[in-house]
């Protein structure tokens, strides 16, 4: 079942990216839909545990649906502003199923398209982003769904 979900997400992503137009003076708005993964770093873990944590995915927290939404507006001369929001269910911090929490994040970013400095390359579009996020984790008892 997991492979089927990954295949469906991959096909949806491929289909949606094949119909994307560039964001510029003529197409000022861009909307994005995606997933987010939350992985906690344990400060008192040993070196080996940290390496295993960074290379493994067994303690990742993610929803089985789209959980990130972005809206971006092109301003001028390669500058744009992005607002992003995401939600997640936290079930793993130190060990699998050791907590039951709800996570949400709201962010605002300023982005600059580096093609304005280096010119269009056709296949590689680097950008610089600077911004901040508000993150909150609530116990499931505090969340009223």
């Amino acid at each position: 079942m997991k492979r089927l979900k990954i295949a469906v997400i991959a096909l949806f992503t491929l289909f949606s990216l094949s119909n994307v137009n560039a964001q510029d003076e003529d197409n000022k708005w861009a909307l994005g839909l995606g997933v987010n993964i939350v992985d906690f770093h344990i400060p008192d873990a040993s070196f080996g545990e940290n390496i295993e944590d960074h290379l493994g995915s067994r303690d990742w927290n993610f929803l089985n649906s789209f959980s990130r939404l972005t809206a971006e507006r092109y301003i001028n001369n390669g500058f744009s502003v992005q607002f992003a929001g995401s939600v997640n269910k936290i079930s793993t911090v130190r060990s699998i199923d050791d907590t039951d929490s709800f996570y949400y994040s709201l962010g605002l970013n300023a982005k600059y398209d580096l093609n304005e400095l280096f010119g269009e390359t056709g296949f590689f579009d680097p950008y610089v982003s600077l911004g901040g996020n508000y993150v909150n984790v609530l116990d499931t008892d505090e969340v009223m769904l």
Side-chain angles (χ1 to χ4, degrees):
M1 189 67 171
K2 264 190 173 178
R3 289 184 184 180
L4 178 62
K5 288 179 186 177
I6 291 172
V8 169
I9 290 172
L11 286 173
F12 180 77
T13 303
L14 181 64
F15 175 72
S16 64
L17 290 179
S18 66
N19 296 321
V20 173
N21 293 322
Q23 187 178 13
D24 57 13
E25 289 89 7
D26 297 327
N27 303 304
K28 292 188 183 252
W29 286 96
L31 297 176
L33 188 64
V35 297
N36 74 331
I37 296 173
V38 178
D39 186 15
F40 289 95
H41 171 71
I42 308 301
D44 58 347
S46 69
F47 179 75
E49 290 173 329
N50 277 329
I51 294 298
E52 182 180 321
D53 183 47
H54 287 296
L55 298 178
S57 62
R58 66 179 176 82
D59 62 340
W60 286 359
N61 296 285
F62 63 95
L63 293 174
N64 290 330
S65 63
F66 295 109
S67 57
R68 179 174 165 83
L69 178 65
T70 61
E72 188 171 337
R73 170 96 165 129
Y74 182 82
I75 305 297
N76 197 8
N77 297 328
F79 285 99
S80 60
V81 176
Q82 179 189 60
F83 177 75
S86 61
V87 296
N88 210 323
K89 181 179 182 325
I90 306 297
S91 61
T92 301
V93 176
R94 288 188 177 266
S95 62
I96 295 174
D97 293 330
D98 63 350
T99 188
D100 189 19
S101 301
F102 178 78
Y103 157 96
Y104 69 92
S105 171
L106 300 172
L108 186 63
N109 298 309
K111 295 169 66 176
Y112 179 69
D113 181 10
L114 292 176
N115 285 330
E116 294 288 324
L117 295 176
F118 303 120
E120 295 286 332
T121 60
F123 68 95
F124 182 64
D125 294 322
Y127 65 90
V128 176
S129 177
L130 178 66
N133 285 314
Y134 172 77
V135 177
N136 197 359
V137 178
L138 303 169
D139 288 333
T140 305
D141 296 337
E142 298 176 32
V143 180
M144 293 189 194
L145 298 176

